[in-house]
Amino acid sequence: MLTLTLVTGNRHKISELNAILGSSVILNATDLDLPEIQGTVEEITREKCRVAAEKIAGPVLVEDSALEMHALNRLPGPYVKAFVESVGNEGLYKMLAAFEDKTAEAVCTIGYSPGPEAEPILFQGRLVGKIVPARGASSFGWEPIFEHGGETLAEMDVNKKNGLSHRFNAAQKLSEWLKQNEGTV
């Protein structure tokens, strides 16, 4: 069985990815201070993965989440954490007040690297929904304002959310890739 180091300080991401990936991989988590470059979610994830692989000197996973609001030309994107910290979920919701289109996409990009000097491989999952007034309590910043199928991610049963979320979609792609490349990773 493959053992990977998941670089995150968010214990909720660890438990969510463990629940989604099941027994296909053993995740050991570590919290490293990784640079947050400016760029697309793919560029940010790729750089975080490259640096993490150098620091760990072995196989690593990193994860980056984004929230893309269609009316705002996909902002705040990978900078959603800074937006939530500065204006909160209510502020994010109010940013769309003047727009009819409340469509948004939750994006999860997982980066995998077998080790230093290897080009990271990215696995991305998306979930389309809309931005609504906050409902539900969540361990993840903006989940109370992201609605899919009539419920916010914060209102959903954890098993339901883990079976359809942006993180689930990205983790499924990673899991399939690991199975196809078993023995060579």
Side-chain angles (χ1 to χ4, degrees):
M1 178 163 308
L2 181 63
T3 300
L4 297 172
T5 299
L6 173 64
V7 180
T8 184
N10 186 328
R11 65 182 173 86
H12 302 291
K13 283 184 184 179
I14 298 163
S15 62
E16 201 168 288
L17 280 170
N18 270 324
I20 293 167
L21 291 170
S23 61
S24 63
V25 66
I26 297 171
L27 294 178
N28 293 323
T30 190
D31 189 7
L32 294 177
D33 188 25
L34 298 175
E36 286 278 342
I37 66 166
Q38 301 293 305
T40 65
V41 68
E42 295 85 3
E43 292 165 338
I44 293 167
T45 306
R46 191 172 282 112
E47 181 62 11
K48 282 170 57 173
C49 193
R50 188 189 64 71
V51 172
E54 287 176 9
K55 288 186 175 193
I56 297 295
V60 296
L61 288 179
V62 299
E63 186 270 356
D64 207 75
S65 294
L67 180 64
E68 299 178 347
M69 298 179 185
H70 289 198
L72 299 180
N73 198 26
R74 306 233 176 237
L75 284 173
Y79 309 111
V80 66
K81 182 179 177 182
F83 275 65
V84 170
E85 288 171 355
S86 65
V87 300
N89 284 326
E90 184 178 351
L92 278 173
Y93 174 73
K94 286 180 179 180
M95 286 180 188
L96 291 181
F99 298 95
E100 208 172 297
D101 185 5
K102 306 289 193 243
T103 306
E105 288 182 57
V107 183
C108 173
T109 307
I110 296 174
Y112 164 76
S113 176
E117 299 182 28
E119 183 63 27
I121 300 167
L122 302 183
F123 305 90
Q124 191 170 83
R126 291 177 171 269
L127 182 66
V128 177
K130 66 181 181 179
I131 302 301
V132 298
R135 299 192 317 259
S138 175
S139 322
F140 294 104
W142 45 267
E143 286 188 348
I145 64 168
F146 186 86
E147 182 184 273
H148 176 81
E151 292 179 284
T152 67
L153 291 179
E155 293 174 309
M156 283 183 192
D157 169 76
V158 70
N159 292 324
K160 179 178 180 179
K161 184 181 94 168
N162 284 351
L164 63 77
S165 74
H166 54 304
R167 191 166 290 113
F168 169 79
N169 292 322
Q172 280 297 106
K173 290 176 182 176
L174 166 66
S175 182
E176 289 167 17
W177 184 87
L178 289 171
K179 285 175 189 163
Q180 290 172 355
N181 294 279
E182 194 173 349
T184 63
V185 215

